[in-house]
Amino acid sequence: MPGDEMEELRGEIVALETALAAAFGEIAVLRAAVEGGGSAAALRSMEGMAAQLEGSVLRGVVGAEALGRPEAAAGFERRMEQIAHALRNAIAFRDR
């Protein structure tokens, strides 16, 4: 596999790891809401996780580009777009 493709795959791996971390965080927030602490505590937790996820995405893209790995950044962005699309579809399916 050529080096550019390997870098793109590395970027996709980081994107998937980021999405997985966000999913585990969301599960933790939902459990906290179910077990107590109220909606205000759950909302604060979700907002904190959203800020962390945003920072993680930014670090992933900027870090890859700063290291001269534009293919990794491209792979990261592409995978994050696929994840966002899948989440939008899941939400649309759930609402029906």
Side-chain angles (χ1 to χ4, degrees):
M1 182 174 292
D4 289 353
E5 289 179 23
M6 290 295 290
E7 288 300 313
E8 287 184 19
L9 290 176
R10 285 187 180 104
E12 291 191 34
I13 288 168
V14 172
L16 289 170
E17 289 171 344
T18 301
L20 185 58
F24 281 124
E26 289 294 327
I27 291 167
V29 167
L30 291 173
R31 282 187 179 158
V34 168
E35 294 172 0
S39 60
L43 183 58
R44 282 192 305 275
S45 293
M46 285 191 296
E47 288 173 352
M49 284 186 308
Q52 290 175 356
L53 179 59
E54 183 179 9
S56 178
V57 170
L58 183 60
R59 282 190 305 276
V61 173
V62 171
E65 290 176 348
L67 292 172
R69 300 165 82 176
E71 293 84 6
F76 180 90
E77 290 177 283
R78 181 178 58 245
R79 181 59 68 164
M80 288 304 284
E81 288 172 4
Q82 291 170 346
I83 292 166
H85 179 72
L87 289 172
R88 283 192 297 272
N89 287 340
I91 291 167
F93 178 76
R94 185 181 61 191
D95 288 343
R96 291 182 182 214

